Amino acid sequence: MKILVTGGAGYIGSHTCVELLNSGYEIAVLDNLSNSSEKSLDRIKEITGKDFEFYKCDLLDFEEVNKVFEAEQVDGVIHFAGLKAVGESVQKPLWYYHNNITGTLNLLKIMEMHKVYNIVFSSSATVYGNPKSLPIVEDFPLSTTNPYGSTKLYIEGILKDLFVSNNNFSVTILRYFNPIGAHKSGLIGEDPKGIPNNLMPYIQQVAIGKLPQLSVFGNQYPTKDGTGVRDYIHVVDLSIAHVKAVEKKSDVAGVHIYNIGTGNGYSVLEMVKAFEKASGKEIKYKICPNRPGDIPACFADATKAKNELDWVAQYNLEDMCRDGWNWQSKNPNGYEE
Ligand code: NAD
Ligand code: UFG
C-alpha cells in the first residue's frame, strides 16, 4: 500500500514517514519546504534504510499536484501540509486561509479525480476552544479563537461535507494535543524557524544557551501551580497513531474522529523541572503576563482511539524530554550545518 504524505518533510510528517516505512508501507512525499528542510528526507532514509520519491510541490499549484497523482499510484493520503503558527495567523489571516484551505481543496479535488478515497487529516485540540470540562471528549462543542484554529475547524467541516457527497471516502481526523520530543536516533526533530512559539522548543533552546531564559506566560491560572496545563505527547506516539488510522480505518467509509493525547496534563513549571532533570541543564525562567488567547488547561480523553484504533501512548514525560534533548544537543542549529 502506498501513502502520499503531504508536509512529509516537516516535524510530525517526517516522524510519520519513518513509522510508515518501518511498518512496510511505501510512501511518496509532497512538500513545498516553506517550513522545513529537504535534509529531513535524507535522515528518514538514513533511519529506515528505505528510499522514496519526493515532490517539491505546493498544494496551491493544482496542475503540479495533479502531476504527482499521475506519477504515483497512491492508495491513500496523510495530509500534514499547512501553516501552523497561531500568532502569525492573526497577523496574516488571508494567507493562512488561502494556504491551508485552498491547498486542502485542491488536494481533495485531485484525490476525487484519481479515485483516491482515503485521507488522514491533521487537526488539533485547538478546535475545542476553551473546553467546558476536562478531559476533552471528541463530541465536545467546537469553537476557535484564531485564524489558524479556524482553518482546522473549516477543513473538518469540508471533509464531513465531502463524505456526504461521496460515500466512498474514508476520512480520519486526528485531533493532536501537544506533540514534543523526537525520534530516538536524534536524526530528526522539530526545527522551528526563528524564535520558537511553543514551550518545548523554547525550553530546548534555553538549555543549549541560544536563548537566555523562558518567559512563563502566567502563574495565576486555576491549575495545580498556577501555570498552563497541557497534554504533551511524544511525536513518535503521535506518528504511530497515523499508521494505526491507516491500518484500521482506510477501508471503512465514513468520518472517523479521534483525540490523540496521553490523557495526562502537565504544567509549564512541571515541564521545566522534567527537562532540567533530563538534560542536566538549568532552565532560567521569569513569570510574565498571560499570553492572549491561551486557555488554562487542556488534556485529552483518548479512550476512543484506544478502543477503535488500538492505539495508546507508550512514552512518558521522561522519554519525551530525553529524546527532545538528544535531538537538540546533537543538532543545535536544527538541520542547518
Ligand atoms: P511543520 O511546519 O513542521 O510541517 C508542515 C509542512 O507542511 C512543512 O514541511 C511545510 O513546508 C509544508 N507546507 C505548508 N504549506 C504547504 C503547501 N501549501 N504545500 C506544500 N507543503 C506545505 O508542522 P508540524 O508540526 O509537522 O505540523 C503538521 C500538521 O499538524 C500541520 O497541519 C499542523 O497544523 C498540525 N498540528 C500541529 C501541531 C503541533 O503542535 N506541531 C498541533 C496540532 C496540529
Ligand atoms: N508557554 C510559556 N512560554 C512560552 C511558550 C508557551 O509559558 O514561551 C506556555 C503556554 O502559555 C501554555 C503552554 O506553555 O500554557 C503550552 O504552550 P504551546 O505554545 O507550546 O502550546 P499551545 O497549547 O498553546 O498550542 C499548541 C500548538 C497549537 C495547537 C495546540 C493544541 O501551538 O497549534 O497546541 O494542539 F493548536
Side-chain angles (χ1 to χ4, degrees):
M1 188 169 178
K2 188 180 259 187
I3 306 292
L4 178 69
V5 184
T6 78
Y11 172 46
I12 306 169
S14 57
H15 286 81
T16 302
C17 288
V18 168
E19 297 308 320
L20 286 166
L21 290 166
N22 284 343
S23 304
Y25 291 92
E26 287 183 88
I27 64 167
V29 170
L30 180 161
D31 200 301
N32 67 0
L33 302 180
S34 60
N35 196 41
S36 52
S37 163
E38 204 170 340
K39 284 189 191 141
S40 67
L41 303 171
D42 298 332
R43 304 275 181 94
I44 296 167
K45 292 175 189 173
E46 193 179 333
I47 293 168
T48 61
K50 293 186 178 156
D51 202 7
F52 54 87
E53 281 303 321
F54 169 55
Y55 298 87
K56 184 169 184 297
C57 173
D58 196 312
L59 284 179
L60 296 175
D61 188 335
F62 191 93
E63 288 311 321
E64 285 302 309
V65 179
N66 193 41
K67 280 186 199 157
V68 174
F69 278 78
E70 279 168 358
E72 297 283 339
Q73 299 294 313
V74 300
D75 303 289
V77 174
I78 303 184
H79 178 33
F80 293 103
L83 298 170
K84 63 164 184 176
V86 173
E88 187 183 51
S89 80
V90 176
Q91 304 303 320
K92 300 180 183 169
L94 300 182
W95 176 234
Y96 267 66
Y97 287 121
H98 185 53
N99 189 77
N100 292 5
I101 296 183
T102 310
T104 302
L105 290 174
N106 283 345
L107 175 69
L108 295 174
K109 282 181 201 162
I110 293 164
M111 285 176 67
E112 199 168 32
M113 277 162 50
H114 290 267
K115 298 189 166 45
V116 177
Y117 295 129
N118 297 313
I119 183 165
V120 179
F121 172 62
S122 303
S123 190
S124 164
T126 194
V127 299
Y128 295 112
N130 192 356
K132 58 177 181 166
S133 62
L134 293 166
I136 296 171
V137 182
E138 285 84 352
D139 61 6
F140 271 23
L142 304 178
S143 68
T144 59
T145 54
N146 58 69
Y148 162 72
S150 299
T151 69
K152 295 294 175 195
L153 192 52
Y154 296 151
I155 293 169
E156 287 198 7
I158 289 165
L159 288 165
K160 289 173 190 165
D161 289 342
L162 177 64
F163 173 71
V164 170
S165 75
N166 183 341
N167 288 174
N168 289 311
F169 269 95
S170 162
V171 173
T172 303
I173 293 171
L174 301 182
R175 294 182 180 148
Y176 314 158
F177 283 67
N178 291 53
I180 61 168
H183 189 264
K184 65 177 185 318
S185 62
L187 287 169
I188 54 173
E190 186 167 14
D191 180 16
K193 293 204 188 335
I195 295 178
N197 298 307
N198 297 116
L199 180 66
M200 281 313 275
Y202 205 105
I203 289 181
Q204 288 170 201
Q205 295 201 6
V206 173
I208 53 161
K210 274 179 123 179
L211 294 168
Q213 64 180 352
L214 171 72
S215 300
V216 173
F217 297 139
N219 69 346
Q220 300 297 319
Y221 285 114
T223 58
K224 44 187 136 181
D225 60 18
T227 64
V229 165
R230 297 290 184 274
D231 184 339
Y232 296 93
I233 174 171
H234 198 298
V235 65
V236 172
D237 272 330
L238 175 58
S239 299
I240 292 168
H242 292 76
V243 178
K244 292 279 190 180
V246 171
E247 258 172 40
K248 302 276 180 194
K249 291 292 159 187
S250 56
D251 56 359
V252 184
V255 179
H256 318 288
I257 303 180
Y258 302 99
N259 285 340
I260 304 295
T262 65
N264 301 313
Y266 292 104
S267 74
V268 175
L269 294 180
E270 285 175 327
M271 296 305 287
V272 167
K273 276 212 178 62
F275 197 81
E276 283 182 331
K277 195 167 165 224
S279 64
K281 302 278 178 187
E282 187 196 353
I283 306 298
K284 291 209 169 73
Y285 67 85
K286 64 169 184 229
I287 305 296
C288 296
N290 296 1
R291 185 169 63 176
D294 269 358
I295 56 171
C298 170
F299 51 91
D301 179 333
T303 310
K304 193 176 172 206
K306 181 177 182 211
N307 291 343
E308 296 186 18
L309 300 181
D310 189 25
W311 175 88
V312 176
Q314 302 293 331
Y315 293 99
N316 63 25
L317 185 57
E318 204 181 323
D319 303 324
M320 299 182 218
C321 291
R322 179 200 59 220
D323 293 342
W325 175 237
N326 183 40
W327 154 255
Q328 187 73 69
S329 51
K330 285 184 174 155
N331 307 271
N333 299 315
Y335 290 107
E336 274 173 35
E337 295 300 333

